[in-house]
Structure formats: structure tokens, C-alpha cells
Amino acid sequence: MGATLDLVQVARARLGIDSDKKLGHPSASLGPLPDALKSFVDEQVAERGYGTSSEYIRELIRKDQDRAQLRSLLLQGAAS
């Protein structure tokens, strides 16, 4: 759980989201983004069937976790 929390904190920091704001409301979670990035996120939400920008962001975090785990496993395998 600690690693997951750290990734969420990193994502919040990169997006400029206060830790006490919820990610579910687009204006609260995406307000600090430049217009071009906000438009991109909005397009991804609409095109990929996410209900909210929060769902999209969580999916990005999950994919990043998967990549990090796979990289770790590959490095462990290469070192053995």
C-alpha cells in the first residue's frame, strides 16, 4: 500500500493537485493543467470510455506500476 500511495502522491504533485482534493471532479483535478494537456485528458476520457479524468489517471498509475514491476523482474532475471 505504501508504494501505491507514493505513486498517487507523485501523480498529484505532477498534476498540481492538493492532497485533500478529490480526483473525481474534472475542474478540481485538471484545473492546474495547461489547456493542451487538459484537452488531451478530456479526449482520452471520452474516446476510451472512462467515466472521469480520475479513472484515466488511476489507469495511468496502474500501468506505470505494472511497467515498474516488470522492469524490476527483468533486472532481477538479468542479474541472476
Side-chain angles (χ1 to χ4, degrees), residues 6-24:
D6 291 342
L7 287 173
V8 171
Q9 289 172 339
V10 168
R12 285 178 181 276
R14 287 185 179 175
L15 293 172
I17 301 168
D18 292 338
S19 61
D20 58 343
K21 287 185 181 177
K22 293 184 179 180
L23 288 173

Side-chain angles (χ1 to χ4, degrees), residues 11-64:
R12 285 178 181 276
R14 287 185 179 175
L15 293 172
I17 301 168
D18 292 338
S19 61
D20 58 343
K21 287 185 181 177
K22 293 184 179 180
L23 288 173
H25 191 274
S27 63
S29 64
L30 297 179
L33 288 177
D35 289 341
L37 290 178
K38 185 177 182 324
S39 294
F40 177 79
V41 170
D42 290 343
E43 288 172 14
Q44 298 306 303
V45 169
E47 291 175 9
R48 297 182 181 196
Y50 294 101
T52 64
S53 57
S54 174
E55 290 177 14
Y56 175 65
I57 292 167
R58 282 193 297 269
E59 181 67 17
L60 292 177
I61 292 169
R62 286 185 199 105
K63 286 180 180 181
D64 197 36

